[in-house]
Amino acid sequence: EAQVTQNPRYLITVTGKKLTVTCSQNMNHEYMSWYRQDPGLGLRQIYYSMNVEVTDKGDVPEGYKVSRKEKRNFPLILESPSPNQTSLYFCASSPRTPYSNQPQHFGDGTRLSIL
Amino acid sequence: DAKTTQPPSMDCAEGRAANLPCNHSTISGNEYVYWYRQIHSQGPQYIIHGLKNNETNEMASLIITEDRKSSTLTLPHATLRDTAVYYCILTGTASKLTFGTGTRLQVTL
């Protein structure tokens, strides 16, 4: 089944403890992206990747890192999490960049709580 | 990126057509209009997209005005399971996507 898989689905942790949210897609998509969703603010893009070893900042990249060493994986790294990063996170992928007429497929989300 | 404007909420009776408007007056010639929806806190689900022609698929219809400054998503026979937040977004030369706050559609009995 074609899908975008995020892990963990839920995580409660403490300030400053490094964490990684994994994202994997099995559709051989080139484009991958991370979003966060907060009440009243909709989805905001954190980082995106056009292809392996190519990443760029979205609208809210501060406090996050990403890597794209393989096409299928796009982990989101919080080196020193803070409470303002408590949010619902989504990973998405599409065959190519959005402007090339390809919809994005989203994962089921990861709910992070930073205490 | 160009922005979109949607009403914050709409109601629709079950079995009726739900027509969700979106304004995108600053749309560029190469930007597509995409519609996604999000049920509860699940991942957004793709519905439909178009450039300038009207589009239809098994889920919905999309009508884009001739000047491309607005569009309407139609769910022909809304059901309770269509209750969700619907996002109208534009994609163009930038690789970033900007989701607004969408329209919360409530389908009622």
PDB file of all heavy atoms in Angstrom, chain A residues 31 35 37 40 43 45 48 50 59 90 99 101-104 106-107 111, chain B residues 32 34 36 38 41-44 46 49 87 91-93 95-97 99 101:
ATOM      1  N   TYR A  31       9.918  14.609  -3.850  1.00  0.00           N
ATOM      2  CA  TYR A  31       9.668  15.757  -2.980  1.00  0.00           C
ATOM      3  C   TYR A  31       9.116  15.280  -1.651  1.00  0.00           C
ATOM      4  O   TYR A  31       8.180  14.487  -1.591  1.00  0.00           O
ATOM      5  CB  TYR A  31       8.673  16.705  -3.656  1.00  0.00           C
ATOM      6  CG  TYR A  31       8.353  17.960  -2.890  1.00  0.00           C
ATOM      7  CD1 TYR A  31       9.081  19.130  -3.086  1.00  0.00           C
ATOM      8  CD2 TYR A  31       7.291  18.001  -1.991  1.00  0.00           C
ATOM      9  CE1 TYR A  31       8.783  20.297  -2.397  1.00  0.00           C
ATOM     10  CE2 TYR A  31       6.984  19.145  -1.299  1.00  0.00           C
ATOM     11  CZ  TYR A  31       7.720  20.296  -1.506  1.00  0.00           C
ATOM     12  OH  TYR A  31       7.427  21.440  -0.824  1.00  0.00           O
ATOM     13  N   TYR A  35       5.491  19.694   8.003  1.00  0.00           N
ATOM     14  CA  TYR A  35       4.615  20.769   8.426  1.00  0.00           C
ATOM     15  C   TYR A  35       4.358  20.628   9.918  1.00  0.00           C
ATOM     16  O   TYR A  35       4.391  19.546  10.470  1.00  0.00           O
ATOM     17  CB  TYR A  35       3.258  20.686   7.723  1.00  0.00           C
ATOM     18  CG  TYR A  35       3.296  20.823   6.222  1.00  0.00           C
ATOM     19  CD1 TYR A  35       3.540  19.722   5.413  1.00  0.00           C
ATOM     20  CD2 TYR A  35       3.065  22.044   5.610  1.00  0.00           C
ATOM     21  CE1 TYR A  35       3.556  19.836   4.037  1.00  0.00           C
ATOM     22  CE2 TYR A  35       3.086  22.172   4.231  1.00  0.00           C
ATOM     23  CZ  TYR A  35       3.327  21.062   3.457  1.00  0.00           C
ATOM     24  OH  TYR A  35       3.355  21.183   2.093  1.00  0.00           O
ATOM     25  N   GLN A  37       1.260  21.926  12.708  1.00  0.00           N
ATOM     26  CA  GLN A  37      -0.084  22.481  12.757  1.00  0.00           C
ATOM     27  C   GLN A  37      -0.417  22.884  14.185  1.00  0.00           C
ATOM     28  O   GLN A  37      -0.349  22.057  15.100  1.00  0.00           O
ATOM     29  CB  GLN A  37      -1.113  21.472  12.244  1.00  0.00           C
ATOM     30  CG  GLN A  37      -2.515  22.041  12.155  1.00  0.00           C
ATOM     31  CD  GLN A  37      -3.475  21.100  11.472  1.00  0.00           C
ATOM     32  OE1 GLN A  37      -3.357  19.888  11.565  1.00  0.00           O
ATOM     33  NE2 GLN A  37      -4.436  21.651  10.753  1.00  0.00           N
ATOM     34  N   GLY A  40      -5.573  27.461  15.132  1.00  0.00           N
ATOM     35  CA  GLY A  40      -5.763  28.798  14.584  1.00  0.00           C
ATOM     36  C   GLY A  40      -4.728  29.235  13.570  1.00  0.00           C
ATOM     37  O   GLY A  40      -4.857  30.316  12.982  1.00  0.00           O
ATOM     38  N   LEU A  43      -1.669  24.785   8.670  1.00  0.00           N
ATOM     39  CA  LEU A  43      -0.411  24.050   8.488  1.00  0.00           C
ATOM     40  C   LEU A  43       0.672  25.000   8.012  1.00  0.00           C
ATOM     41  O   LEU A  43       0.465  25.763   7.066  1.00  0.00           O
ATOM     42  CB  LEU A  43      -0.565  22.937   7.460  1.00  0.00           C
ATOM     43  CG  LEU A  43      -1.243  21.660   7.916  1.00  0.00           C
ATOM     44  CD1 LEU A  43      -2.735  21.738   7.707  1.00  0.00           C
ATOM     45  CD2 LEU A  43      -0.680  20.465   7.171  1.00  0.00           C
ATOM     46  N   GLN A  45       4.752  25.188   6.796  1.00  0.00           N
ATOM     47  CA  GLN A  45       5.832  24.333   6.309  1.00  0.00           C
ATOM     48  C   GLN A  45       7.116  24.615   7.065  1.00  0.00           C
ATOM     49  O   GLN A  45       7.521  25.780   7.221  1.00  0.00           O
ATOM     50  CB  GLN A  45       6.027  24.549   4.815  1.00  0.00           C
ATOM     51  CG  GLN A  45       6.837  23.474   4.131  1.00  0.00           C
ATOM     52  CD  GLN A  45       6.791  23.607   2.617  1.00  0.00           C
ATOM     53  OE1 GLN A  45       6.809  24.709   2.082  1.00  0.00           O
ATOM     54  NE2 GLN A  45       6.730  22.490   1.920  1.00  0.00           N
ATOM     55  N   TYR A  48      11.563  21.451   3.466  1.00  0.00           N
ATOM     56  CA  TYR A  48      11.203  20.582   2.370  1.00  0.00           C
ATOM     57  C   TYR A  48      12.462  20.105   1.666  1.00  0.00           C
ATOM     58  O   TYR A  48      13.550  20.675   1.851  1.00  0.00           O
ATOM     59  CB  TYR A  48      10.248  21.270   1.390  1.00  0.00           C
ATOM     60  CG  TYR A  48      10.800  22.498   0.712  1.00  0.00           C
ATOM     61  CD1 TYR A  48      11.439  22.413  -0.523  1.00  0.00           C
ATOM     62  CD2 TYR A  48      10.671  23.756   1.299  1.00  0.00           C
ATOM     63  CE1 TYR A  48      11.939  23.530  -1.146  1.00  0.00           C
ATOM     64  CE2 TYR A  48      11.171  24.881   0.684  1.00  0.00           C
ATOM     65  CZ  TYR A  48      11.791  24.769  -0.546  1.00  0.00           C
ATOM     66  OH  TYR A  48      12.290  25.890  -1.165  1.00  0.00           O
ATOM     67  N   MET A  50      13.698  18.697  -2.238  1.00  0.00           N
ATOM     68  CA  MET A  50      13.363  18.466  -3.642  1.00  0.00           C
ATOM     69  C   MET A  50      13.899  17.118  -4.117  1.00  0.00           C
ATOM     70  O   MET A  50      13.412  16.578  -5.112  1.00  0.00           O
ATOM     71  CB  MET A  50      13.963  19.579  -4.499  1.00  0.00           C
ATOM     72  CG  MET A  50      13.609  20.960  -4.010  1.00  0.00           C
ATOM     73  SD  MET A  50      12.179  21.636  -4.814  1.00  0.00           S
ATOM     74  CE  MET A  50      12.903  22.163  -6.360  1.00  0.00           C
ATOM     75  N   ASP A  59       8.572  27.960   6.030  1.00  0.00           N
ATOM     76  CA  ASP A  59       8.192  29.206   6.690  1.00  0.00           C
ATOM     77  C   ASP A  59       8.623  29.279   8.159  1.00  0.00           C
ATOM     78  O   ASP A  59       8.821  30.360   8.695  1.00  0.00           O
ATOM     79  CB  ASP A  59       6.676  29.399   6.607  1.00  0.00           C
ATOM     80  CG  ASP A  59       6.213  29.653   5.191  1.00  0.00           C
ATOM     81  OD1 ASP A  59       6.889  30.424   4.486  1.00  0.00           O
ATOM     82  OD2 ASP A  59       5.189  29.076   4.784  1.00  0.00           O
ATOM     83  N   PHE A  90       3.209  16.911  10.529  1.00  0.00           N
ATOM     84  CA  PHE A  90       2.886  16.077   9.380  1.00  0.00           C
ATOM     85  C   PHE A  90       4.040  16.048   8.400  1.00  0.00           C
ATOM     86  O   PHE A  90       4.644  17.077   8.097  1.00  0.00           O
ATOM     87  CB  PHE A  90       1.650  16.596   8.652  1.00  0.00           C
ATOM     88  CG  PHE A  90       0.373  16.439   9.415  1.00  0.00           C
ATOM     89  CD1 PHE A  90      -0.188  17.523  10.059  1.00  0.00           C
ATOM     90  CD2 PHE A  90      -0.254  15.211   9.487  1.00  0.00           C
ATOM     91  CE1 PHE A  90      -1.364  17.386  10.774  1.00  0.00           C
ATOM     92  CE2 PHE A  90      -1.434  15.057  10.202  1.00  0.00           C
ATOM     93  CZ  PHE A  90      -1.982  16.151  10.852  1.00  0.00           C
ATOM     94  N   TYR A  99       4.755  22.322  -8.025  1.00  0.00           N
ATOM     95  CA  TYR A  99       4.282  23.053  -9.196  1.00  0.00           C
ATOM     96  C   TYR A  99       4.200  22.184 -10.437  1.00  0.00           C
ATOM     97  O   TYR A  99       3.753  22.632 -11.466  1.00  0.00           O
ATOM     98  CB  TYR A  99       5.153  24.282  -9.468  1.00  0.00           C
ATOM     99  CG  TYR A  99       6.610  24.021  -9.795  1.00  0.00           C
ATOM    100  CD1 TYR A  99       6.993  23.565 -11.047  1.00  0.00           C
ATOM    101  CD2 TYR A  99       7.599  24.268  -8.864  1.00  0.00           C
ATOM    102  CE1 TYR A  99       8.309  23.352 -11.358  1.00  0.00           C
ATOM    103  CE2 TYR A  99       8.934  24.056  -9.169  1.00  0.00           C
ATOM    104  CZ  TYR A  99       9.279  23.597 -10.410  1.00  0.00           C
ATOM    105  OH  TYR A  99      10.588  23.392 -10.703  1.00  0.00           O
ATOM    106  N   ASN A 101       2.265  19.738 -10.889  1.00  0.00           N
ATOM    107  CA  ASN A 101       0.961  19.110 -11.069  1.00  0.00           C
ATOM    108  C   ASN A 101       0.864  17.756 -10.380  1.00  0.00           C
ATOM    109  O   ASN A 101       0.321  16.809 -10.939  1.00  0.00           O
ATOM    110  CB  ASN A 101       0.666  18.975 -12.572  1.00  0.00           C
ATOM    111  CG  ASN A 101      -0.781  18.624 -12.853  1.00  0.00           C
ATOM    112  OD1 ASN A 101      -1.649  18.823 -12.025  1.00  0.00           O
ATOM    113  ND2 ASN A 101      -1.026  18.058 -14.024  1.00  0.00           N
ATOM    114  N   GLN A 102       1.421  17.661  -9.189  1.00  0.00           N
ATOM    115  CA  GLN A 102       1.365  16.402  -8.467  1.00  0.00           C
ATOM    116  C   GLN A 102       0.907  16.657  -7.036  1.00  0.00           C
ATOM    117  O   GLN A 102       1.533  17.432  -6.328  1.00  0.00           O
ATOM    118  CB  GLN A 102       2.756  15.748  -8.435  1.00  0.00           C
ATOM    119  CG  GLN A 102       3.342  15.444  -9.797  1.00  0.00           C
ATOM    120  CD  GLN A 102       2.682  14.251 -10.449  1.00  0.00           C
ATOM    121  OE1 GLN A 102       1.977  13.505  -9.789  1.00  0.00           O
ATOM    122  NE2 GLN A 102       2.904  14.078 -11.739  1.00  0.00           N
ATOM    123  N   PRO A 103      -0.174  16.019  -6.595  1.00  0.00           N
ATOM    124  CA  PRO A 103      -0.637  16.245  -5.222  1.00  0.00           C
ATOM    125  C   PRO A 103       0.297  15.620  -4.209  1.00  0.00           C
ATOM    126  O   PRO A 103       1.045  14.694  -4.519  1.00  0.00           O
ATOM    127  CB  PRO A 103      -2.006  15.567  -5.203  1.00  0.00           C
ATOM    128  CG  PRO A 103      -1.924  14.525  -6.270  1.00  0.00           C
ATOM    129  CD  PRO A 103      -1.048  15.102  -7.341  1.00  0.00           C
ATOM    130  N   GLN A 104       0.233  16.135  -2.994  1.00  0.00           N
ATOM    131  CA  GLN A 104       1.029  15.591  -1.907  1.00  0.00           C
ATOM    132  C   GLN A 104       0.239  14.524  -1.150  1.00  0.00           C
ATOM    133  O   GLN A 104      -0.972  14.618  -1.005  1.00  0.00           O
ATOM    134  CB  GLN A 104       1.438  16.696  -0.932  1.00  0.00           C
ATOM    135  CG  GLN A 104       2.436  17.660  -1.517  1.00  0.00           C
ATOM    136  CD  GLN A 104       3.070  18.513  -0.453  1.00  0.00           C
ATOM    137  OE1 GLN A 104       3.790  18.054   0.420  1.00  0.00           O
ATOM    138  NE2 GLN A 104       2.789  19.789  -0.522  1.00  0.00           N
ATOM    139  N   PHE A 106       0.031  12.772   2.569  1.00  0.00           N
ATOM    140  CA  PHE A 106       0.400  13.105   3.935  1.00  0.00           C
ATOM    141  C   PHE A 106       0.412  11.862   4.828  1.00  0.00           C
ATOM    142  O   PHE A 106      -0.364  10.925   4.634  1.00  0.00           O
ATOM    143  CB  PHE A 106      -0.589  14.109   4.531  1.00  0.00           C
ATOM    144  CG  PHE A 106      -0.389  15.511   4.042  1.00  0.00           C
ATOM    145  CD1 PHE A 106      -0.888  15.904   2.811  1.00  0.00           C
ATOM    146  CD2 PHE A 106       0.303  16.435   4.812  1.00  0.00           C
ATOM    147  CE1 PHE A 106      -0.694  17.196   2.349  1.00  0.00           C
ATOM    148  CE2 PHE A 106       0.493  17.731   4.368  1.00  0.00           C
ATOM    149  CZ  PHE A 106      -0.006  18.120   3.138  1.00  0.00           C
ATOM    150  N   GLY A 107       1.304  11.915   5.823  1.00  0.00           N
ATOM    151  CA  GLY A 107       1.290  10.897   6.862  1.00  0.00           C
ATOM    152  C   GLY A 107       0.162  11.158   7.852  1.00  0.00           C
ATOM    153  O   GLY A 107      -0.564  12.145   7.743  1.00  0.00           O
ATOM    154  N   ARG A 111       2.055  13.722  17.197  1.00  0.00           N
ATOM    155  CA  ARG A 111       1.720  14.739  18.195  1.00  0.00           C
ATOM    156  C   ARG A 111       2.828  14.787  19.238  1.00  0.00           C
ATOM    157  O   ARG A 111       3.050  13.820  19.966  1.00  0.00           O
ATOM    158  CB  ARG A 111       0.385  14.429  18.855  1.00  0.00           C
ATOM    159  CG  ARG A 111      -0.123  15.565  19.737  1.00  0.00           C
ATOM    160  CD  ARG A 111      -1.544  15.340  20.205  1.00  0.00           C
ATOM    161  NE  ARG A 111      -2.526  15.420  19.142  1.00  0.00           N
ATOM    162  CZ  ARG A 111      -3.018  16.541  18.634  1.00  0.00           C
ATOM    163  NH1 ARG A 111      -2.591  17.699  19.086  1.00  0.00           N
ATOM    164  NH2 ARG A 111      -3.942  16.519  17.692  1.00  0.00           N
TER     165      ARG A 111
ATOM    166  N   TYR B  32      -1.416  26.221  -9.948  1.00  0.00           N
ATOM    167  CA  TYR B  32      -2.559  25.341  -9.859  1.00  0.00           C
ATOM    168  C   TYR B  32      -3.368  25.668  -8.605  1.00  0.00           C
ATOM    169  O   TYR B  32      -2.812  26.077  -7.586  1.00  0.00           O
ATOM    170  CB  TYR B  32      -2.113  23.876  -9.781  1.00  0.00           C
ATOM    171  CG  TYR B  32      -1.588  23.325 -11.077  1.00  0.00           C
ATOM    172  CD1 TYR B  32      -0.263  23.486 -11.450  1.00  0.00           C
ATOM    173  CD2 TYR B  32      -2.431  22.604 -11.926  1.00  0.00           C
ATOM    174  CE1 TYR B  32       0.213  22.963 -12.634  1.00  0.00           C
ATOM    175  CE2 TYR B  32      -1.961  22.071 -13.104  1.00  0.00           C
ATOM    176  CZ  TYR B  32      -0.647  22.265 -13.459  1.00  0.00           C
ATOM    177  OH  TYR B  32      -0.176  21.743 -14.634  1.00  0.00           O
ATOM    178  N   TYR B  34      -5.322  23.826  -5.734  1.00  0.00           N
ATOM    179  CA  TYR B  34      -5.473  22.517  -5.107  1.00  0.00           C
ATOM    180  C   TYR B  34      -6.459  22.605  -3.962  1.00  0.00           C
ATOM    181  O   TYR B  34      -6.527  23.604  -3.259  1.00  0.00           O
ATOM    182  CB  TYR B  34      -4.124  22.056  -4.510  1.00  0.00           C
ATOM    183  CG  TYR B  34      -3.218  21.319  -5.461  1.00  0.00           C
ATOM    184  CD1 TYR B  34      -2.473  21.995  -6.422  1.00  0.00           C
ATOM    185  CD2 TYR B  34      -3.094  19.934  -5.377  1.00  0.00           C
ATOM    186  CE1 TYR B  34      -1.642  21.302  -7.282  1.00  0.00           C
ATOM    187  CE2 TYR B  34      -2.257  19.240  -6.229  1.00  0.00           C
ATOM    188  CZ  TYR B  34      -1.537  19.928  -7.180  1.00  0.00           C
ATOM    189  OH  TYR B  34      -0.705  19.239  -8.030  1.00  0.00           O
ATOM    190  N   TYR B  36      -7.530  20.330  -0.514  1.00  0.00           N
ATOM    191  CA  TYR B  36      -7.308  19.226   0.423  1.00  0.00           C
ATOM    192  C   TYR B  36      -8.351  19.354   1.531  1.00  0.00           C
ATOM    193  O   TYR B  36      -8.926  20.415   1.743  1.00  0.00           O
ATOM    194  CB  TYR B  36      -5.925  19.312   1.081  1.00  0.00           C
ATOM    195  CG  TYR B  36      -4.755  19.014   0.179  1.00  0.00           C
ATOM    196  CD1 TYR B  36      -4.251  19.983  -0.677  1.00  0.00           C
ATOM    197  CD2 TYR B  36      -4.137  17.765   0.205  1.00  0.00           C
ATOM    198  CE1 TYR B  36      -3.167  19.712  -1.502  1.00  0.00           C
ATOM    199  CE2 TYR B  36      -3.046  17.487  -0.610  1.00  0.00           C
ATOM    200  CZ  TYR B  36      -2.568  18.476  -1.452  1.00  0.00           C
ATOM    201  OH  TYR B  36      -1.494  18.199  -2.258  1.00  0.00           O
ATOM    202  N   GLN B  38      -9.085  17.991   5.790  1.00  0.00           N
ATOM    203  CA  GLN B  38      -8.515  17.375   6.980  1.00  0.00           C
ATOM    204  C   GLN B  38      -9.657  17.031   7.926  1.00  0.00           C
ATOM    205  O   GLN B  38     -10.409  17.917   8.364  1.00  0.00           O
ATOM    206  CB  GLN B  38      -7.526  18.312   7.663  1.00  0.00           C
ATOM    207  CG  GLN B  38      -6.785  17.675   8.807  1.00  0.00           C
ATOM    208  CD  GLN B  38      -5.743  18.591   9.393  1.00  0.00           C
ATOM    209  OE1 GLN B  38      -5.834  19.812   9.283  1.00  0.00           O
ATOM    210  NE2 GLN B  38      -4.733  18.015  10.020  1.00  0.00           N
ATOM    211  N   SER B  41      -7.889  15.445  13.292  1.00  0.00           N
ATOM    212  CA  SER B  41      -6.458  15.769  13.255  1.00  0.00           C
ATOM    213  C   SER B  41      -5.693  14.778  12.390  1.00  0.00           C
ATOM    214  O   SER B  41      -4.489  14.590  12.559  1.00  0.00           O
ATOM    215  CB  SER B  41      -5.896  15.771  14.672  1.00  0.00           C
ATOM    216  OG  SER B  41      -6.476  16.799  15.427  1.00  0.00           O
ATOM    217  N   GLN B  42      -6.385  14.182  11.428  1.00  0.00           N
ATOM    218  CA  GLN B  42      -5.710  13.266  10.518  1.00  0.00           C
ATOM    219  C   GLN B  42      -4.875  14.046   9.507  1.00  0.00           C
ATOM    220  O   GLN B  42      -5.019  15.268   9.389  1.00  0.00           O
ATOM    221  CB  GLN B  42      -6.735  12.418   9.774  1.00  0.00           C
ATOM    222  CG  GLN B  42      -7.573  11.537  10.668  1.00  0.00           C
ATOM    223  CD  GLN B  42      -8.661  10.818   9.874  1.00  0.00           C
ATOM    224  OE1 GLN B  42      -8.599  10.708   8.654  1.00  0.00           O
ATOM    225  NE2 GLN B  42      -9.660  10.319  10.576  1.00  0.00           N
ATOM    226  N   GLY B  43      -4.045  13.373   8.760  1.00  0.00           N
ATOM    227  CA  GLY B  43      -3.283  14.022   7.716  1.00  0.00           C
ATOM    228  C   GLY B  43      -4.186  14.544   6.622  1.00  0.00           C
ATOM    229  O   GLY B  43      -5.195  13.924   6.286  1.00  0.00           O
ATOM    230  N   PRO B  44      -3.892  15.709   6.069  1.00  0.00           N
ATOM    231  CA  PRO B  44      -4.707  16.247   4.975  1.00  0.00           C
ATOM    232  C   PRO B  44      -4.824  15.251   3.825  1.00  0.00           C
ATOM    233  O   PRO B  44      -3.881  14.546   3.496  1.00  0.00           O
ATOM    234  CB  PRO B  44      -3.944  17.503   4.554  1.00  0.00           C
ATOM    235  CG  PRO B  44      -3.216  17.930   5.782  1.00  0.00           C
ATOM    236  CD  PRO B  44      -2.827  16.641   6.454  1.00  0.00           C
ATOM    237  N   TYR B  46      -5.832  14.735  -0.182  1.00  0.00           N
ATOM    238  CA  TYR B  46      -5.997  15.407  -1.471  1.00  0.00           C
ATOM    239  C   TYR B  46      -7.397  15.167  -2.010  1.00  0.00           C
ATOM    240  O   TYR B  46      -7.922  14.050  -1.929  1.00  0.00           O
ATOM    241  CB  TYR B  46      -4.954  14.868  -2.452  1.00  0.00           C
ATOM    242  CG  TYR B  46      -5.231  15.196  -3.896  1.00  0.00           C
ATOM    243  CD1 TYR B  46      -4.981  16.470  -4.401  1.00  0.00           C
ATOM    244  CD2 TYR B  46      -5.747  14.232  -4.757  1.00  0.00           C
ATOM    245  CE1 TYR B  46      -5.230  16.766  -5.730  1.00  0.00           C
ATOM    246  CE2 TYR B  46      -6.000  14.529  -6.081  1.00  0.00           C
ATOM    247  CZ  TYR B  46      -5.749  15.785  -6.560  1.00  0.00           C
ATOM    248  OH  TYR B  46      -6.007  16.077  -7.874  1.00  0.00           O
ATOM    249  N   HIS B  49      -7.538  19.057  -8.077  1.00  0.00           N
ATOM    250  CA  HIS B  49      -6.806  20.259  -8.438  1.00  0.00           C
ATOM    251  C   HIS B  49      -7.084  20.607  -9.896  1.00  0.00           C
ATOM    252  O   HIS B  49      -7.557  19.760 -10.674  1.00  0.00           O
ATOM    253  CB  HIS B  49      -5.306  20.109  -8.172  1.00  0.00           C
ATOM    254  CG  HIS B  49      -4.579  19.221  -9.144  1.00  0.00           C
ATOM    255  ND1 HIS B  49      -4.643  17.852  -9.076  1.00  0.00           N
ATOM    256  CD2 HIS B  49      -3.770  19.520 -10.192  1.00  0.00           C
ATOM    257  CE1 HIS B  49      -3.893  17.330 -10.027  1.00  0.00           C
ATOM    258  NE2 HIS B  49      -3.358  18.306 -10.733  1.00  0.00           N
ATOM    259  N   TYR B  87      -9.127  22.980   2.668  1.00  0.00           N
ATOM    260  CA  TYR B  87      -8.094  23.952   2.344  1.00  0.00           C
ATOM    261  C   TYR B  87      -7.994  24.141   0.833  1.00  0.00           C
ATOM    262  O   TYR B  87      -7.907  23.172   0.086  1.00  0.00           O
ATOM    263  CB  TYR B  87      -6.734  23.481   2.849  1.00  0.00           C
ATOM    264  CG  TYR B  87      -6.614  23.341   4.344  1.00  0.00           C
ATOM    265  CD1 TYR B  87      -6.780  22.111   4.958  1.00  0.00           C
ATOM    266  CD2 TYR B  87      -6.321  24.443   5.134  1.00  0.00           C
ATOM    267  CE1 TYR B  87      -6.655  21.978   6.327  1.00  0.00           C
ATOM    268  CE2 TYR B  87      -6.196  24.319   6.507  1.00  0.00           C
ATOM    269  CZ  TYR B  87      -6.362  23.083   7.099  1.00  0.00           C
ATOM    270  OH  TYR B  87      -6.234  22.957   8.466  1.00  0.00           O
ATOM    271  N   THR B  91      -0.261  26.282  -5.922  1.00  0.00           N
ATOM    272  CA  THR B  91       1.116  25.837  -6.113  1.00  0.00           C
ATOM    273  C   THR B  91       1.641  26.474  -7.381  1.00  0.00           C
ATOM    274  O   THR B  91       0.929  26.594  -8.377  1.00  0.00           O
ATOM    275  CB  THR B  91       1.215  24.312  -6.246  1.00  0.00           C
ATOM    276  OG1 THR B  91       0.583  23.907  -7.452  1.00  0.00           O
ATOM    277  CG2 THR B  91       0.549  23.625  -5.083  1.00  0.00           C
ATOM    278  N   GLY B  92       2.872  26.883  -7.317  1.00  0.00           N
ATOM    279  CA  GLY B  92       3.429  27.565  -8.479  1.00  0.00           C
ATOM    280  C   GLY B  92       4.900  27.301  -8.596  1.00  0.00           C
ATOM    281  O   GLY B  92       5.369  26.196  -8.387  1.00  0.00           O
ATOM    282  N   THR B  93       5.659  28.333  -8.878  1.00  0.00           N
ATOM    283  CA  THR B  93       7.090  28.132  -9.096  1.00  0.00           C
ATOM    284  C   THR B  93       7.835  27.889  -7.786  1.00  0.00           C
ATOM    285  O   THR B  93       8.882  27.269  -7.780  1.00  0.00           O
ATOM    286  CB  THR B  93       7.704  29.356  -9.788  1.00  0.00           C
ATOM    287  OG1 THR B  93       7.392  30.519  -9.014  1.00  0.00           O
ATOM    288  CG2 THR B  93       7.145  29.512 -11.187  1.00  0.00           C
ATOM    289  N   SER B  95       8.610  26.141  -4.262  1.00  0.00           N
ATOM    290  CA  SER B  95       8.424  24.771  -3.791  1.00  0.00           C
ATOM    291  C   SER B  95       7.760  24.720  -2.433  1.00  0.00           C
ATOM    292  O   SER B  95       7.449  23.656  -1.944  1.00  0.00           O
ATOM    293  CB  SER B  95       9.771  24.063  -3.732  1.00  0.00           C
ATOM    294  OG  SER B  95      10.324  23.970  -5.015  1.00  0.00           O
ATOM    295  N   LYS B  96       7.566  25.877  -1.823  1.00  0.00           N
ATOM    296  CA  LYS B  96       6.870  25.901  -0.541  1.00  0.00           C
ATOM    297  C   LYS B  96       5.371  25.882  -0.795  1.00  0.00           C
ATOM    298  O   LYS B  96       4.888  26.384  -1.808  1.00  0.00           O
ATOM    299  CB  LYS B  96       7.221  27.177   0.237  1.00  0.00           C
ATOM    300  CG  LYS B  96       8.673  27.270   0.624  1.00  0.00           C
ATOM    301  CD  LYS B  96       8.897  28.371   1.645  1.00  0.00           C
ATOM    302  CE  LYS B  96       8.551  29.720   1.095  1.00  0.00           C
ATOM    303  NZ  LYS B  96       8.864  30.783   2.072  1.00  0.00           N
ATOM    304  N   LEU B  97       4.657  25.294   0.112  1.00  0.00           N
ATOM    305  CA  LEU B  97       3.205  25.343   0.071  1.00  0.00           C
ATOM    306  C   LEU B  97       2.702  26.122   1.268  1.00  0.00           C
ATOM    307  O   LEU B  97       3.231  25.980   2.359  1.00  0.00           O
ATOM    308  CB  LEU B  97       2.605  23.938   0.108  1.00  0.00           C
ATOM    309  CG  LEU B  97       2.825  23.066  -1.114  1.00  0.00           C
ATOM    310  CD1 LEU B  97       2.057  21.767  -0.959  1.00  0.00           C
ATOM    311  CD2 LEU B  97       2.401  23.778  -2.373  1.00  0.00           C
ATOM    312  N   PHE B  99      -0.586  26.718   3.433  1.00  0.00           N
ATOM    313  CA  PHE B  99      -1.962  26.399   3.798  1.00  0.00           C
ATOM    314  C   PHE B  99      -2.509  27.541   4.638  1.00  0.00           C
ATOM    315  O   PHE B  99      -1.855  27.989   5.554  1.00  0.00           O
ATOM    316  CB  PHE B  99      -2.021  25.125   4.640  1.00  0.00           C
ATOM    317  CG  PHE B  99      -1.877  23.849   3.864  1.00  0.00           C
ATOM    318  CD1 PHE B  99      -0.644  23.474   3.355  1.00  0.00           C
ATOM    319  CD2 PHE B  99      -2.959  23.019   3.665  1.00  0.00           C
ATOM    320  CE1 PHE B  99      -0.514  22.285   2.650  1.00  0.00           C
ATOM    321  CE2 PHE B  99      -2.834  21.825   2.962  1.00  0.00           C
ATOM    322  CZ  PHE B  99      -1.604  21.463   2.455  1.00  0.00           C
ATOM    323  N   THR B 101      -6.077  28.850   6.868  1.00  0.00           N
ATOM    324  CA  THR B 101      -6.819  28.213   7.965  1.00  0.00           C
ATOM    325  C   THR B 101      -8.036  27.459   7.462  1.00  0.00           C
ATOM    326  O   THR B 101      -8.711  26.795   8.225  1.00  0.00           O
ATOM    327  CB  THR B 101      -7.233  29.235   9.025  1.00  0.00           C
ATOM    328  OG1 THR B 101      -7.897  30.311   8.379  1.00  0.00           O
ATOM    329  CG2 THR B 101      -6.012  29.774   9.771  1.00  0.00           C
TER     330      THR B 101
END
